Amino acid sequence: MPLRSVFRPVLLFAALAGLSPAVLAQSDAPPPPLELQVLGSGGPGAVGRAASSHVLRLDGVPRILVDAGPGAFARAGEAHVPLARVRTVLLTHLHADHAGDLPGLFKAAAVSGRGPIPLRIFGPDGRDPYPSTGRFVELLFGTGGAFAYLPDFSAPLALTTRELSPPESAVVTVLEEDGLRITAARGHHGDVPAVAYRIDYRGRSIVFSGDMDEAGLPALIALAQGADLLVFNSVVLDPPDSPAVLYTLHSPPAAIGRAAAEARVGRLLLAHIVPAVEDHAEAVLDSIRQHYQGTVELAHDLQRLTPSAP
Ligand SMILES: [Zn+2]
């Protein structure tokens, strides 16, 4: 599947290019090869956490954004993330709590950069009523789109999209360059088109489940084999303590623990935390620990985590 060019960069409003460049924290120690920073550790409810979003630093430079839920824009500012350095956006699915902050983040990148900013956006294909990732980006930033002005507003944004539809239980390579390898497997979030991602860089690896019900676990286990860190979105309690319909969309703690054990991941981070999980955190963690012996914890906004090899 070739990358599809959606927009041609045109340099306009160069005077804005110098606005507010963010800076990296200075340190004498070399940066870790791969580092996760949680921008949003929450779910769809406005209850204090930003919604789902993560940034990955490669050799200290923020290069990859995984989901862009509401609140990620504010957290990226608080974390001094130089958004103009991001080159790749991985969308697990197109629910608003995972993609709603894309326009704000892209505009922030545009007004903080100087030259053209190439942004590759990967995400699922479409299935009614969900647009494909390409259509989604066109509806936002294409001709006639809601924010059609944005790609040429300041530093030009060169947006390309690629839709992913991995075969059932197969792991596909999405991107391979300069030591970075991104692979993907078919997600399963009810009938919502979804993708799970694995990022490998210089011997370190992180996997993102996205929102996933139990039907997606076999593919995720194949994708996550031996990964240093698995970020799993945790939304429900073990049955029957959550509304039945939610089990068609999300995996319960016992299933998450079994999947983490079967994939032999080094560490487990629970993300997309909702009040039910927060209020019963010990029960959730205990249930997971019945099956998985590694470190497991609940994510929090702005948390930084460096995966270490097992
Ligand atoms: Zn969600």
Side-chain angles (χ1 to χ4, degrees):
M1 286 174 280
L3 286 170
R4 183 153 59 91
S5 180
V6 181
F7 306 108
R8 299 280 175 223
V10 179
L11 182 58
L12 289 175
F13 295 98
L16 285 174
L19 286 177
S20 304
V23 293
L24 284 168
Q26 297 296 309
S27 166
D28 291 337
L34 182 60
E35 183 185 31
L36 166 73
Q37 183 159 33
V38 180
L39 295 181
S41 61
V47 290
R49 295 172 184 260
S52 212
S53 186
H54 306 267
V55 67
L56 295 181
R57 289 184 177 82
L58 274 52
D59 299 321
V61 180
R63 288 297 193 193
I64 301 172
L65 185 70
V66 181
D67 282 344
F73 168 89
R75 296 290 185 260
E78 290 164 3
H80 303 294
V81 176
L83 289 164
R85 307 293 297 275
V86 172
R87 291 290 177 267
T88 302
V89 179
L90 306 176
L91 297 174
T92 62
H93 63 293
L94 302 182
H95 273 168
D97 55 319
H98 295 256
D101 251 11
L102 269 187
L105 288 164
F106 282 7
K107 184 159 187 173
V111 300
S112 66
R114 293 179 183 279
I117 301 173
L119 274 165
R120 300 172 291 212
I121 305 162
F122 298 89
D125 57 1
R127 189 185 313 141
D128 190 49
Y130 297 96
S132 68
T133 298
R135 178 73 178 138
F136 179 78
V137 171
E138 283 176 10
L139 287 167
L140 286 174
F141 308 112
T143 303
F147 305 109
Y149 77 96
L150 186 53
D152 298 325
F153 176 71
S154 183
L157 302 178
L159 306 179
T160 54
T161 59
R162 182 174 155 187
E163 292 154 15
L164 304 171
S165 184
E168 202 74 40
S169 297
V171 173
V172 299
T173 299
V174 170
L175 183 69
E176 206 154 16
E177 64 177 22
D178 302 329
L180 169 66
R181 185 165 195 257
I182 301 177
T183 47
R186 180 182 290 274
H188 206 284
H189 183 37
D191 62 359
V192 186
V195 181
Y197 296 97
R198 172 174 177 147
I199 295 91
D200 284 84
Y201 185 67
R202 291 182 53 194
R204 301 290 184 263
S205 49
I206 304 179
V207 175
F208 294 87
S209 70
D211 292 2
M212 178 175 283
D213 62 65
E214 288 189 70
L217 294 181
L220 182 77
I221 290 166
L223 179 71
Q225 275 304 313
D228 299 328
L229 174 65
L230 170 60
V231 181
F232 205 113
N233 292 0
S234 178
V235 173
V236 292
L237 307 175
D238 283 324
D241 292 335
S242 291
V245 66
L246 289 182
Y247 295 113
T248 68
L249 297 168
H250 299 284
S251 299
I256 295 173
R258 283 194 295 270
E262 208 172 318
R264 297 179 294 111
V265 299
R267 185 167 180 169
L268 179 59
L269 184 68
L270 303 181
H272 198 288
I273 304 300
V274 299
V277 168
E278 189 139 38
D279 293 346
H280 299 87
E282 280 314 307
V284 167
L285 294 171
D286 285 349
S287 174
I288 288 173
R289 289 183 182 125
Q290 298 285 318
H291 306 279
Y292 174 67
Q293 309 308 315
T295 300
V296 53
E297 63 191 306
L298 268 62
H300 57 84
D301 288 11
L302 299 180
Q303 178 177 6
R304 294 177 78 148
L305 210 158
T306 302
S308 49

